[in-house]
Amino acid sequence: MKIAEIKDLLGAEILCGADRLEHDVEAACCSDMMSDVLAYVKDQGVLLTGLVNPQVIRTASMMDMTCIVFVRSKAPSEEMIELAEECGIAVMKTSLRAYEACGRLYASGLTGKTGEENV
């Protein structure tokens, strides 16, 4: 699925990385606990979270994620957006709750199936 499709499915606003909308992602995960993302997530392209701090960007970068979606209209700081740009990560926000955002993506074929365990 392309990042542009994720944006459309979630009615999301792109905050940075508009030049990456045509990148493909094959899986997603959702967590507010970055320690779980580091411990259990494998080969995920999209991170959905309600946690808004710079550690989210750093974690996504370490895990080679290409996109972060902040749920519940959470808005990252300018510092976070700049860090995401430096890391080559597309960032967007949606007014949807995590449950509904994940459900829409899953129903459209974006799963979290690439690791032995999923978050």
Side-chain angles (χ1 to χ4, degrees), residues 50-93:
L51 181 64
V52 182
N53 70 43
Q55 193 60 31
V56 172
I57 309 298
R58 291 185 188 98
T59 300
S61 178
M62 288 175 58
M63 302 305 291
D64 295 324
M65 294 185 170
T66 58
C67 181
I68 300 170
V69 179
F70 290 99
V71 296
R72 300 187 313 273
S73 297
K74 298 286 185 157
S77 67
E78 278 302 315
E79 171 192 352
M80 291 174 63
I81 292 171
E82 289 172 16
L83 182 57
E85 279 286 358
E86 290 172 18
C87 294
I89 300 171
V91 175
M92 58 184 105
K93 69 177 182 175

Side-chain angles (χ1 to χ4, degrees), residues 15 28 31 33 39 41-42 48 58 90 94-97 107 117:
L15 303 175
S31 183
M33 295 185 62
V41 173
K42 306 285 186 278
L48 291 95
R58 291 185 188 98
T94 180
S95 62
L96 300 175
R97 292 181 171 200
E117 297 183 46

